[in-house]
Amino acid sequence: MAQKVGRKIVTDGLIYHLDPTNGQKGEEATITSPTQLSGCELWLDASDEETIIGATAEEWKDKSGNLAHAGQGTSANRPTLVPRGWNGLSYLSFDGSNDTMTGSLSNSIIDDSIFIVCRTKNSAADAGIFFISDTPSFAHKGLTHHNASNVYCYFSSGSIYKAYNMSTYSPNILSRSYADAVGTFHINGCEATSSNGTPADVSAASSYYIANASNEGEIDIGEIIVYNRKLSQAELRQVEKYLSLKWKIGLGGRNIKNLAGGGLHASEVLEDNSNGGPIITHNNTLEFRHPEANNSDL
């Protein structure tokens, strides 16, 4: 038996439910804003057009409450606001020639979790996506797009730690976290497995750069979120799910476990519900989708 509770569906707990407050082990809570999790140092959200000053962005306002706004004083070097882009939401487009932005965080960062919604295009070697460093060096805490094929992830000074092939000209969710010489890197929920050594602990840094490293990146960016700590796995999934639902970007590598049949199923069949963790169900049970989903009959 299912009943509507606000905008959620709750079952008797035997099969599947979307409300985590009843003590069952179904859908985890999804954050409604990144600042619900502690340690949010930076939140740049191009879908909130009030945070973009000018059609060519002179300033990109930080929504974290820390006033860590991104800016570009030279009009020729400013990215362009593209309204009603992905999922009807606006983003900033950097031309790969001279468009960049920079800013300063209120606190210096050692441990971190960084999330970026972006679409990479044609790029030269080590074209900047986003990095944190007190000098213009992406090798500390950074992400670069390399020769229009790979994303390189740096956790500390030294060589590339994680590299991952990423499709160009389609939006992706990049997420990385780091603490005590241990870092993880995901694209759309899938972990990058290739590595180039263990990163050393880095010096604290507070300045950040967008679309600039060895070369400027030709890239569209919808959202950037930075935390001053390594989030837990559950928290990482919460932020990824928030971005996935908001920008309508599917998370790969998520599975549904069927207790009756013992099999795993791709989570895309429950993309409106899945938060990135395993979902428990049965072969002969009814799937309860969000009541506002296109294929929901509730």
Side-chain angles (χ1 to χ4, degrees), residues 177-235:
S177 61
Y178 172 87
D180 299 324
V182 177
T184 61
F185 176 44
H186 295 81
I187 297 180
N188 300 331
C190 296
E191 185 172 1
T193 56
S194 61
S195 64
N196 199 25
T198 301
D201 285 329
V202 298
S203 300
S206 60
S207 297
Y208 67 86
Y209 301 81
I210 304 172
N212 186 21
S214 293
N215 291 288
E216 288 78 13
E218 185 181 1
I219 186 171
D220 300 327
I221 299 180
E223 196 156 354
I224 298 172
I225 307 167
V226 176
Y227 295 89
N228 62 14
R229 62 187 178 93
K230 185 177 181 180
L231 301 185
S232 69
Q233 187 177 35
E235 290 171 328

Side-chain angles (χ1 to χ4, degrees), residues 27-264:
E27 179 85 348
E28 295 176 18
T30 299
I31 63 171
T32 57
S33 71
T35 51
Q36 280 189 282
L37 300 179
S38 65
C40 186
E41 290 284 342
L42 178 69
W43 179 16
L44 300 175
D45 179 10
S47 73
D48 184 351
E49 295 187 23
E50 292 185 359
T51 68
I52 308 295
I53 307 303
T56 54
E58 176 182 352
E59 189 174 41
W60 193 359
K61 296 287 190 181
D62 170 31
K63 295 170 64 172
S64 74
N66 295 313
L67 304 178
H69 311 312
Q72 174 51 266
T74 305
S75 59
N77 297 353
R78 296 171 186 166
T80 300
L81 177 66
V82 179
R84 297 177 299 279
W86 313 321
N87 200 28
L89 305 178
S90 60
Y91 59 81
L92 285 179
S93 182
F94 296 78
D95 64 7
S97 173
N98 56 11
D99 291 355
T100 63
M101 300 191 85
T102 187
S104 295
L105 303 173
S106 59
N107 295 298
S108 294
I109 303 294
I110 297 179
D111 298 343
D112 70 80
S113 295
I114 299 172
F115 302 83
I116 302 171
V117 176
C118 66
R119 174 173 62 181
T120 54
K121 301 178 181 179
N122 294 319
S123 295
D126 287 322
I129 297 176
F130 177 86
F131 64 92
I132 299 172
S133 176
D134 286 330
T135 60
S137 172
F138 59 86
H140 283 181
K141 291 180 176 296
L143 293 160
T144 69
H145 191 222
H146 188 73
N147 293 334
S149 59
N150 289 310
V151 174
Y152 286 175
C153 185
Y154 298 84
F155 293 101
S156 62
S157 58
S159 59
I160 303 161
Y161 181 62
K162 295 283 189 180
Y164 203 91
N165 183 269
M166 185 175 77
S167 60
T168 55
Y169 294 95
S170 60
N172 293 278
I173 299 170
L174 311 184
S175 57
R176 49 152 285 161
S177 61
Y178 172 87
D180 299 324
V182 177
T184 61
F185 176 44
H186 295 81
I187 297 180
N188 300 331
C190 296
E191 185 172 1
T193 56
S194 61
S195 64
N196 199 25
T198 301
D201 285 329
V202 298
S203 300
S206 60
S207 297
Y208 67 86
Y209 301 81
I210 304 172
N212 186 21
S214 293
N215 291 288
E216 288 78 13
E218 185 181 1
I219 186 171
D220 300 327
I221 299 180
E223 196 156 354
I224 298 172
I225 307 167
V226 176
Y227 295 89
N228 62 14
R229 62 187 178 93
K230 185 177 181 180
L231 301 185
S232 69
Q233 187 177 35
E235 290 171 328
L236 286 166
R237 287 173 171 172
Q238 282 183 278
V239 182
E240 287 176 339
K241 183 58 178 175
Y242 156 79
L243 294 172
S244 173
L245 289 171
K246 179 177 180 178
W247 296 94
K248 204 62 177 178
I249 301 172
L251 296 176
R254 306 305 201 212
N255 292 320
I256 302 162
K257 183 170 181 58
N258 191 296
L259 293 181
L264 292 175

